Each structure stands twice: as structure tokens, then as C-alpha cells.
Amino acid sequence: MKNILKSTLALLSVLVAFTSCDNASKSNNSGALSSSAAEKVYVAPGEHDEFYAFISGGFSGQLSVYGLPSGRLFKVIPVFSQDAEKAYGYNEETKPMLNTSHGFVPWDDAHHPDISQTNGVVDGRWVFINGNNTPRIAKIDLSTFETTEIIEVPNSAGNHSSSFVTENSEYVVAGTRFSVPIPQKDMPIKDYKGNFKGSLSFISIDPEHGHMDIKFQLIMPGFDYDLSHPGRGKSHGWFFFTTYNTEEASTLMEVNASQNDKDFIAAVNWKKIEDYVNNGGGTMMPANYAHNVYDEATHSATSTMKKEVRIVNPLDVPGAVYFLPTPKSPHGCDVDPSGEYIVGNGKLSANLTVHSFTKMLDAIENNKVAGDAYGIPILNFEDVLAGVVEQPGLGPLHTEFDGKGNAYTTFFISSEVVKWKLGTWDVVDRQPCYYSVGHLMIPGGNSQKPFGKYVVAMNKITKDRYLPTGPEVTQSAQLYDISGEKMELLLDFPTIGEPHYAAGCPADLIKPRSKKLFKLEDNKHPYAALSEADTKVVRDGKIVHVYMTTIRSHFAPDNIEGVKVGDKVYFHVTNLEQDYDVPHGVSIIGANTSELLIMPGQTETFLWEPKQVGVWPFYCTDFCSALHQEMQGYVRVSPANSNTPLKWSLGEDIE
């Protein structure tokens, strides 16, 4: 009997195999049957990926750039943390980028990148990302892939429901996770309830240059505002924020902040508040926050401390803010491409809750309220509910959309991505993740026009997926093909830091605008030497300025004498190259900073404070030519009381 059973199973296996092969030959849409996963992610040498993916670095404080479908890492963009490889936060030009009201802060926890949009479609101009610990929003220019602006967010703590962009890039929005006293003051923590407040900051974006400015802050009840997304299409002009801890607990949060069966999604009519503010509404409040801007012309950043911010009490703008009851401790707050459906991903809920924007407007118009929270109306749950996805998985966190009527939700506890239908709420597919998935991203998936070909799942735990590297293992993402009815896992790839959210778009949106070099004639750096004839060394007391150039394969000057112990020596180094992909680096023994990495046409500065008498070499740190090893020089350091004259040269002995 056992032999008969084995033979029958073998025959069935063969039949399935032949049937699969036959189906594959008849259809180009047969998913995994049409080609291997390896073929689908293979990008031939010299060929380019179809999509850029910008994946947050979490506790690294940076933003990493990958290609899809290959999963190849192209660049780590320094944002909130110092980066010795690129001298970000080390050279004199970028140190001001990390200035805050708390002083120089060289680290942050970067969570949620979002790409600028035009008419509800990602446009590839800028990426915005939030600093979670010291509340900040950064802007990265996608012509240079460099951080060009960081604005600190006052009256905020745990800047988590950030940094999401409205569909014409009118605003990037930053919501506080931790409510705090506003303004800050010394008070007992036990008096949290009713006294701590949350803030939702609407930061305007200049449509031409992307410059940021805090337009207004909405001061809200003291809940935790977790995540957010803008309305789009029919719901443009609204913004939606998940809340938890509507209990207003301040200790043992895992228990005390999980008592209510429903928390809220806050629906904010920012258009109404914008009109109110434009007509003089709101109150200017004393504040202290840094606004740091990098100028491409001078290759330098400046930091300005701002001293006031406009705050708005939602009760002063009737009809601007409503609460939508949402089970239970919702995390992700996601809006579908049409703007009709608002998905509340309740971490502790057995089901997924989907609200209807149309029903919400009807409930507002017909005053279908269940009460209020601190004067803000709470709409009836049943009157705003579009539908429920019944028991799709355990621990729902985030949802994205493919533009074909499907939604994809991550489930942390059951470690899976689940595909379901908008409107019918039916689960149509699920695929396991390895392991404990958090965010996911479809390129353009939080816009009116998703590019529904791939989904990237960002996992919290890696375990056995890669070669072990001691107690700390790599962070991980996984790529799924979603072009067919069934999802297919194609690729695991390591990530930088802990990946939270990501943003993606077609490479063709960015490639044509990508800058290859900086033109020397446009260099307005105050210490730039635009030719070797401009090089010099200047003393001003104990301050020495070295106006230096670099080009394949020498520095000018490359011999310097007359520097003394105790001097502060500023090396201002200009890369004279005007060819693509020819950076130069420089460092000197004893410098308490990183190397410089200087792009063609750019000027950067490092500070050296010699503490010992001697002759000290400097050299190029970035391999640039066949004579790279010869690209070096010397600085003679004399005693502090010496009379050694200041001299410099290139190609000749100093007399």
C-alpha cells in the first residue's frame, strides 16, 4: 500500500510539473513559472536598475540609496549623523547642518522618507526625512543626492508621524509622538493627563527651491501621534494622523496605553487652517529652533536660530479637526490612490479598519458625532466605516497600494505581507517575511500613481538569513514581485541601519537631473582657489589659512613651512577637476577630524591644530590616478616661539 501511495504521489508530481511548464509556455503573466527569481532581479553589468529606492537608516541617522530590482547599494546619504567617509558634519562647511537648540547634535534616528510630488505623482526633485530623537526635518536634493536643508521642529518630542508630503508639495508634515508640556516647563510627570500636549507641524515648501519654513503648528490633546499620510484626489486638503495612548498614560505604557478598545485617527483640514492663518489667525509663540541651509554656490551651510512659531488652537477653527474612532492602538495611517479610503492599521486589533472619506464628510455635514475629546468632535465609528478586512493576520502595521485596486499590509507578529482587495475587503494572497516585518514600500505607493511592480518589505529581525557576524547581524529587506495575481519573493538584501519606511520612484525621473560636477566658475566659496595661481598661505595671529588646490596628481602648494605649534590651520581645498567621477581626498597626520572628500569644482575645509614639532605629511585619500601614491605633501611645524617665516611652494625647494 505504501509503494502504491508513493507511486501515485510521484505521478501527481510529474503531472503538476508538466502542467506548470505548459501553463508557463502559454502565458507571459504566470509569475514564478515564467522565469526564475534570479533572472528577475538580475541587472547585467553596465545596465541600470528600473527604480531608485530610498531606504531610511533608522538609528544610523542616514538615508541609503538602492536600485530595484537588483537590491544594489549605491550611496549612503549623510543626513542627521556625521559621516567620516564624506566628511559630512566634520568639515567646516557642513558642521552647521547638525546645529540645534541643544547645540551640535551629530546623530539622530531617521525614519520616514517621502519624495516630493506634483499633481499627486512623485516627481523626483527632493526627498524629505524626519529625525525622530531631536525633532528635525531634512531635505535631500536629488540632483546632487546631498542634504541641503534641516529645520528643527519646536514644541515636539519623538518626531515620528513625519515626514509626509502633500500631493503638490505644499507642505511636509511633522507630528509629535510624545506629548510634552507646551511650552516646556518643570512639572510632575504624574500630572500628564490634560496638561501635556501634542503638536502637528505644517512646514511649507517653496515650489522652486524646496526651502522649508514652519507655517503653523496645531496644538492637540496629549495623545501619541504615531503615523500620518495626506489626503489625495478627492481628499486633498486633509491630513490623517493615527493616535494611541488616548488614555494619556505616562508609565508602563505597554499596559496603560492599551486599555481603550478604540483610539483615533485625527482628520485635519489643513486647507481650512491655512486660510485661517493667511487671514491673521493663530498666535505667535516664543520658540528657539535651528534652521540650517546648505548653499551650493558657496558649498557651505549656515545655521540660523529662529525665535518664534505660529501656533493654532483647533477649537479656534471650527470644522478643521475631527477624530475617527479606530481599533486598537493604530500604527500606520494610509490613504489609497483615490483618496477615498483611509486605512487604520491597529496593532492590537484582529481586523483592519478602513474608513471612507465620503462617509466622513457626510458624518460631518449631518453632525453624526459620538462626543468629543477636549472639544474636538468624535465622529460615530459606524458612520465613517467603509469596511473591515476580517482577521487578515496578526499585528498589522503598514499598508501600501499598487494602483490596481489592491492593498498590501504588513503583519509584524505573523511575519507576512497580505494582499487584499479595496472595496470587497477580501484577502487574495499572503507571503511570509523573514522575519517580523515592519514597513513596506511600493514605488509611488503613497501617491495617486503607484508603480505597482514591486513591494519592498523591511524586516525587524534577520536571524539566519545571512552569514553570521557575531551578536549584531545585518538589517534586512525583501523584494517581492507583485505584477501578477500572486506575490513572489525574489530577493533578500541587507540594509544600512534599521530600515523603517522607504520611498521609491522610476529612475528616469531622477537620472536626467543628476549633477555630474560643480562648475568652477560658479564656485563662490570665500576661500576657494580657482587656479594654482590663486593658492597661498595667510597668517592672521594664530590662525593660518591655506588656500590649496588639488588636481591629478598633486596638491598646490605641496610644501608649507612656518606653521607653529598651537596654530589653528584651516586647509581650504578646491578640486580643480572638471571631469565626472574624479573626486579627491585629503588628510594630514594628527588631524582630529575626518578626511575631506571633494567633488570636482567643490571647495571643502578641515581644521588642523598641530601639537608637535616636526614635518608632517598630507596625502590624497581617494584613489584618483596612476600617480595617486605620489599625490602628497609636507607641512613643517616649528616651536610656538620660533621665527620660522611662512613659506609655501610647488615643484621647488623652499629657501
mmCIF file of all heavy atoms in Angstrom, residues 49 70 85 212 233 247 250 266 270 278 294 296 301 314 340 374 410 425 497 520 553 623:
data_model
loop_
_atom_site.group_PDB
_atom_site.id
_atom_site.type_symbol
_atom_site.label_atom_id
_atom_site.label_comp_id
_atom_site.label_asym_id
_atom_site.label_seq_id
_atom_site.Cartn_x
_atom_site.Cartn_y
_atom_site.Cartn_z
ATOM 1 N N ASP A 49 19.315 49.893 -12.999
ATOM 2 C CA ASP A 49 18.062 49.454 -12.387
ATOM 3 C C ASP A 49 16.900 50.305 -12.874
ATOM 4 O O ASP A 49 17.068 51.449 -13.325
ATOM 5 C CB ASP A 49 18.157 49.562 -10.868
ATOM 6 C CG ASP A 49 18.946 48.423 -10.251
ATOM 7 O OD1 ASP A 49 18.344 47.362 -10.047
ATOM 8 O OD2 ASP A 49 20.146 48.598 -9.975
ATOM 9 N N SER A 70 17.641 45.062 -8.411
ATOM 10 C CA SER A 70 18.879 44.357 -8.057
ATOM 11 C C SER A 70 19.155 44.339 -6.559
ATOM 12 O O SER A 70 19.849 43.445 -6.071
ATOM 13 C CB SER A 70 20.065 44.999 -8.785
ATOM 14 O OG SER A 70 20.391 46.257 -8.218
ATOM 15 N N GLU A 85 33.331 59.163 5.962
ATOM 16 C CA GLU A 85 33.662 58.871 4.563
ATOM 17 C C GLU A 85 33.513 60.108 3.692
ATOM 18 O O GLU A 85 34.324 60.368 2.800
ATOM 19 C CB GLU A 85 32.760 57.755 4.036
ATOM 20 C CG GLU A 85 32.975 57.429 2.570
ATOM 21 C CD GLU A 85 31.924 56.493 2.009
ATOM 22 O OE1 GLU A 85 31.147 55.913 2.798
ATOM 23 O OE2 GLU A 85 31.884 56.327 0.774
ATOM 24 N N MET A 212 12.238 75.314 3.235
ATOM 25 C CA MET A 212 11.221 74.987 4.227
ATOM 26 C C MET A 212 11.040 76.122 5.238
ATOM 27 O O MET A 212 11.989 76.825 5.579
ATOM 28 C CB MET A 212 11.597 73.701 4.966
ATOM 29 C CG MET A 212 11.675 72.470 4.087
ATOM 30 S SD MET A 212 11.993 70.947 5.030
ATOM 31 C CE MET A 212 13.695 71.201 5.552
ATOM 32 N N GLY A 233 -6.378 63.370 -4.229
ATOM 33 C CA GLY A 233 -7.567 63.331 -5.076
ATOM 34 C C GLY A 233 -8.720 64.013 -4.371
ATOM 35 O O GLY A 233 -8.646 65.178 -3.990
ATOM 36 N N GLU A 247 -5.477 57.124 26.399
ATOM 37 C CA GLU A 247 -5.642 57.041 27.858
ATOM 38 C C GLU A 247 -4.818 58.116 28.568
ATOM 39 O O GLU A 247 -5.049 58.407 29.754
ATOM 40 C CB GLU A 247 -5.181 55.664 28.369
ATOM 41 C CG GLU A 247 -5.970 54.482 27.815
ATOM 42 C CD GLU A 247 -5.435 53.997 26.475
ATOM 43 O OE1 GLU A 247 -4.536 54.662 25.889
ATOM 44 O OE2 GLU A 247 -5.922 52.955 25.998
ATOM 45 N N SER A 250 1.415 57.695 31.402
ATOM 46 C CA SER A 250 2.811 58.149 31.375
ATOM 47 C C SER A 250 3.776 57.111 31.936
ATOM 48 O O SER A 250 4.973 57.370 32.013
ATOM 49 C CB SER A 250 2.957 59.458 32.153
ATOM 50 O OG SER A 250 2.606 59.259 33.513
ATOM 51 N N ALA A 266 -6.859 61.192 13.650
ATOM 52 C CA ALA A 266 -7.187 62.618 13.615
ATOM 53 C C ALA A 266 -7.236 63.071 12.161
ATOM 54 O O ALA A 266 -6.259 62.918 11.422
ATOM 55 C CB ALA A 266 -6.156 63.417 14.391
ATOM 56 N N TRP A 270 -6.281 70.863 6.615
ATOM 57 C CA TRP A 270 -5.221 71.871 6.639
ATOM 58 C C TRP A 270 -5.535 73.051 5.733
ATOM 59 O O TRP A 270 -5.033 74.173 5.961
ATOM 60 C CB TRP A 270 -3.863 71.259 6.310
ATOM 61 C CG TRP A 270 -3.692 70.590 4.974
ATOM 62 C CD1 TRP A 270 -3.761 69.269 4.703
ATOM 63 C CD2 TRP A 270 -3.382 71.236 3.722
ATOM 64 N NE1 TRP A 270 -3.514 69.025 3.371
ATOM 65 C CE2 TRP A 270 -3.272 70.215 2.743
ATOM 66 C CE3 TRP A 270 -3.181 72.556 3.337
ATOM 67 C CZ2 TRP A 270 -2.985 70.487 1.409
ATOM 68 C CZ3 TRP A 270 -2.891 72.842 2.002
ATOM 69 C CH2 TRP A 270 -2.797 71.810 1.057
ATOM 70 N N ASN A 278 -3.660 82.521 6.997
ATOM 71 C CA ASN A 278 -3.399 83.556 6.000
ATOM 72 C C ASN A 278 -4.180 84.836 6.280
ATOM 73 O O ASN A 278 -3.800 85.917 5.804
ATOM 74 C CB ASN A 278 -3.740 83.045 4.599
ATOM 75 C CG ASN A 278 -2.726 82.034 4.094
ATOM 76 O OD1 ASN A 278 -1.617 81.932 4.608
ATOM 77 N ND2 ASN A 278 -3.117 81.267 3.083
ATOM 78 N N TYR A 294 22.199 74.613 3.363
ATOM 79 C CA TYR A 294 23.430 74.446 2.591
ATOM 80 C C TYR A 294 23.287 75.180 1.265
ATOM 81 O O TYR A 294 22.307 74.992 0.538
ATOM 82 C CB TYR A 294 23.703 72.960 2.353
ATOM 83 C CG TYR A 294 24.995 72.674 1.625
ATOM 84 C CD1 TYR A 294 26.194 72.565 2.316
ATOM 85 C CD2 TYR A 294 25.012 72.504 0.243
ATOM 86 C CE1 TYR A 294 27.388 72.294 1.660
ATOM 87 C CE2 TYR A 294 26.195 72.237 -0.433
ATOM 88 C CZ TYR A 294 27.377 72.136 0.284
ATOM 89 O OH TYR A 294 28.546 71.870 -0.378
ATOM 90 N N GLU A 296 24.689 75.732 -2.392
ATOM 91 C CA GLU A 296 25.512 75.046 -3.385
ATOM 92 C C GLU A 296 26.546 75.975 -4.004
ATOM 93 O O GLU A 296 27.624 75.540 -4.424
ATOM 94 C CB GLU A 296 24.622 74.446 -4.475
ATOM 95 C CG GLU A 296 25.347 73.530 -5.435
ATOM 96 C CD GLU A 296 24.421 72.875 -6.434
ATOM 97 O OE1 GLU A 296 23.631 72.011 -6.019
ATOM 98 O OE2 GLU A 296 24.492 73.233 -7.621
ATOM 99 N N ALA A 301 27.252 75.646 4.609
ATOM 100 C CA ALA A 301 25.976 75.733 5.318
ATOM 101 C C ALA A 301 26.019 76.867 6.327
ATOM 102 O O ALA A 301 27.077 77.206 6.876
ATOM 103 C CB ALA A 301 25.672 74.417 6.026
ATOM 104 N N PRO A 314 -7.031 74.156 17.750
ATOM 105 C CA PRO A 314 -8.051 73.632 16.831
ATOM 106 C C PRO A 314 -9.459 74.129 17.160
ATOM 107 O O PRO A 314 -10.312 74.199 16.256
ATOM 108 C CB PRO A 314 -7.935 72.113 16.989
ATOM 109 C CG PRO A 314 -7.212 71.893 18.271
ATOM 110 C CD PRO A 314 -6.311 73.067 18.453
ATOM 111 N N GLU A 340 -10.162 58.016 -1.255
ATOM 112 C CA GLU A 340 -11.427 57.649 -0.614
ATOM 113 C C GLU A 340 -11.207 56.848 0.659
ATOM 114 O O GLU A 340 -11.931 57.042 1.642
ATOM 115 C CB GLU A 340 -12.280 56.836 -1.595
ATOM 116 C CG GLU A 340 -13.520 56.170 -0.987
ATOM 117 C CD GLU A 340 -14.546 57.161 -0.418
ATOM 118 O OE1 GLU A 340 -14.465 58.363 -0.759
ATOM 119 O OE2 GLU A 340 -15.432 56.737 0.353
ATOM 120 N N TYR A 374 -11.600 66.832 24.424
ATOM 121 C CA TYR A 374 -11.057 68.190 24.605
ATOM 122 C C TYR A 374 -11.655 69.161 23.587
ATOM 123 O O TYR A 374 -10.973 70.026 23.045
ATOM 124 C CB TYR A 374 -9.530 68.178 24.522
ATOM 125 C CG TYR A 374 -8.887 67.398 25.645
ATOM 126 C CD1 TYR A 374 -8.463 66.090 25.450
ATOM 127 C CD2 TYR A 374 -8.730 67.963 26.912
ATOM 128 C CE1 TYR A 374 -7.883 65.357 26.483
ATOM 129 C CE2 TYR A 374 -8.149 67.243 27.956
ATOM 130 C CZ TYR A 374 -7.734 65.943 27.738
ATOM 131 O OH TYR A 374 -7.166 65.225 28.770
ATOM 132 N N THR A 410 1.499 44.838 6.015
ATOM 133 C CA THR A 410 2.469 44.032 6.758
ATOM 134 C C THR A 410 1.880 43.621 8.105
ATOM 135 O O THR A 410 1.139 44.380 8.742
ATOM 136 C CB THR A 410 3.766 44.815 7.004
ATOM 137 O OG1 THR A 410 3.468 46.053 7.669
ATOM 138 C CG2 THR A 410 4.478 45.091 5.705
ATOM 139 N N TRP A 425 -12.738 43.939 0.442
ATOM 140 C CA TRP A 425 -12.015 43.648 1.685
ATOM 141 C C TRP A 425 -11.600 42.176 1.777
ATOM 142 O O TRP A 425 -11.306 41.682 2.850
ATOM 143 C CB TRP A 425 -12.836 44.060 2.923
ATOM 144 C CG TRP A 425 -13.659 45.298 2.702
ATOM 145 C CD1 TRP A 425 -15.009 45.414 2.814
ATOM 146 C CD2 TRP A 425 -13.183 46.598 2.306
ATOM 147 N NE1 TRP A 425 -15.423 46.694 2.502
ATOM 148 C CE2 TRP A 425 -14.316 47.449 2.183
ATOM 149 C CE3 TRP A 425 -11.937 47.126 2.012
ATOM 150 C CZ2 TRP A 425 -14.219 48.782 1.821
ATOM 151 C CZ3 TRP A 425 -11.844 48.462 1.635
ATOM 152 C CH2 TRP A 425 -12.971 49.267 1.554
ATOM 153 N N GLY A 497 21.651 50.268 8.784
ATOM 154 C CA GLY A 497 20.855 50.612 9.958
ATOM 155 C C GLY A 497 19.554 49.829 9.972
ATOM 156 O O GLY A 497 19.361 48.866 9.224
ATOM 157 N N LEU A 520 33.556 75.262 -11.886
ATOM 158 C CA LEU A 520 34.465 76.129 -11.143
ATOM 159 C C LEU A 520 34.035 77.587 -11.195
ATOM 160 O O LEU A 520 34.143 78.321 -10.203
ATOM 161 C CB LEU A 520 35.886 75.993 -11.692
ATOM 162 C CG LEU A 520 36.706 74.817 -11.164
ATOM 163 C CD1 LEU A 520 37.999 74.680 -11.954
ATOM 164 C CD2 LEU A 520 37.004 74.982 -9.683
ATOM 165 N N SER A 553 48.136 64.995 -10.602
ATOM 166 C CA SER A 553 48.233 64.213 -9.383
ATOM 167 C C SER A 553 49.101 64.963 -8.373
ATOM 168 O O SER A 553 50.149 64.491 -7.947
ATOM 169 C CB SER A 553 48.860 62.845 -9.661
ATOM 170 O OG SER A 553 48.025 62.088 -10.521
ATOM 171 N N PHE A 623 41.609 57.295 -4.342
ATOM 172 C CA PHE A 623 42.446 56.906 -5.480
ATOM 173 C C PHE A 623 41.952 57.610 -6.739
ATOM 174 O O PHE A 623 40.806 57.448 -7.150
ATOM 175 C CB PHE A 623 42.425 55.391 -5.670
ATOM 176 C CG PHE A 623 43.569 54.888 -6.477
ATOM 177 C CD1 PHE A 623 44.688 54.349 -5.861
ATOM 178 C CD2 PHE A 623 43.556 54.972 -7.865
ATOM 179 C CE1 PHE A 623 45.776 53.896 -6.613
ATOM 180 C CE2 PHE A 623 44.624 54.525 -8.628
ATOM 181 C CZ PHE A 623 45.741 53.986 -7.998
#
